[in-house]
Amino acid sequence: AGATGSVVCQIAKNVLGCRVIGIAGGREKCKWLIEEIGVDAAIDYKLHNRTERDLTTANKAFDEALRIHAPSGVDVFFDNVGGWILNRVLKRINNHARVVLCGAISTYNSKANGLPPGPSNYLNLISKSARMEGFILLNYSHEYDSAYKDIANWIVEGKIKYTEDLIYGLENAPKAMLKLFGKFQGNKGKLIVDIFGDASKSKL
């Protein structure tokens, strides 16, 4: 439900005509994705407690939700989270599926020593003749001009709505960073800090 994912959902749904399933943390974010962004369904990955004791139950619940909303499997998965969600989705990919790696925010603030474990379901990429590829924005610098024009047109046509989550005051910047990682109910859309704004206007 952040800036990147919400725009990806709208391009897939409103421009390319795909069936789109969003994944977000919390009931309110999932409701926002369905009612405001227009996805076909949304899965709340925080619905079940992912403690070590309840890990199996939580995984089964997520798998079941994905099976219900994507009964025919997953053709394209745009991933900006990584971790266990990527691993569970890899179980549901179709033949010749595309897994697009944009980020892995679930691991950026990890307290674990060393790198987190890799996805155990990666062998599905072989059996399904699928492709998983990462990218960064600079890879497509030659397409910036056309992208600006396309996105501007889609906004004018109502195919893309953009949402700004505005935090006021430089002193609230640390809390805004925590909001990006799910604190204070997380963010919806682009998180912006107005460093000259009145900090008392921010409800954190």
Side-chain angles (χ1 to χ4, degrees):
T4 303
S6 60
V7 171
V8 169
C9 285
Q10 292 176 89
I11 292 175
K13 177 69 179 178
N14 301 329
V15 178
L16 301 178
C18 301
R19 172 173 169 78
V20 178
I21 302 162
I23 301 173
R27 188 172 299 174
E28 284 301 311
K29 283 189 175 183
C30 288
K31 181 180 178 182
W32 179 74
L33 282 175
I34 293 171
E35 295 181 357
E36 298 295 328
I37 299 303
V39 301
D40 296 286
I43 298 173
D44 180 3
Y45 69 81
K46 290 185 177 179
L47 188 59
H48 296 275
N49 187 14
R50 291 190 60 78
T51 63
E52 194 66 34
R53 180 170 57 87
D54 298 322
L55 199 57
T56 300
T57 300
N59 283 340
K60 286 182 178 179
F62 184 87
D63 291 348
E64 178 64 10
L66 194 58
R67 185 191 66 78
I68 291 172
H69 294 306
S72 300
V74 176
D75 293 311
V76 178
F77 179 52
F78 187 95
D79 184 31
N80 206 13
V81 176
W84 69 270
I85 292 178
L86 169 62
N87 196 40
R88 305 319 295 177
V89 174
L90 284 175
K91 288 184 64 178
R92 295 287 301 164
I93 58 174
N94 288 329
N95 287 330
H96 307 292
R98 292 289 306 276
V99 179
V100 183
L101 302 181
C102 176
I105 198 169
S106 68
T107 65
Y108 296 160
N109 205 28
S110 175
K111 295 180 180 178
N113 293 325
L115 295 173
S120 59
N121 292 318
Y122 78 97
L123 288 178
N124 261 11
L125 295 167
I126 300 173
S127 62
K128 298 292 186 178
S129 300
R131 178 179 174 185
M132 182 159 67
E133 183 177 5
F135 78 97
I136 58 174
L137 190 61
L138 292 176
N139 295 153
Y140 298 93
S141 59
H142 60 288
E143 296 187 30
Y144 285 176
D145 289 343
S146 60
Y148 291 146
K149 292 175 183 177
D150 286 341
I151 293 172
N153 286 335
W154 295 334
I155 291 173
V156 171
E157 294 168 359
K159 294 179 179 179
I160 290 181
K161 302 175 185 176
Y162 66 92
T163 301
E164 295 177 348
D165 197 336
L166 192 57
I167 304 299
Y168 298 96
L170 180 60
E171 56 266 54
N172 279 325
K175 290 183 178 180
M177 179 63 73
L178 292 175
K179 190 177 176 71
L180 188 64
F181 285 90
K183 300 295 184 181
F184 309 108
Q185 299 182 325
N187 65 297
K188 295 175 184 174
K190 186 68 173 177
L191 185 61
I192 299 172
V193 177
D194 179 355
I195 62 175
F196 300 110
D198 181 358
S200 64
K201 293 169 62 177
S202 293
K203 298 179 180 180
L204 292 170

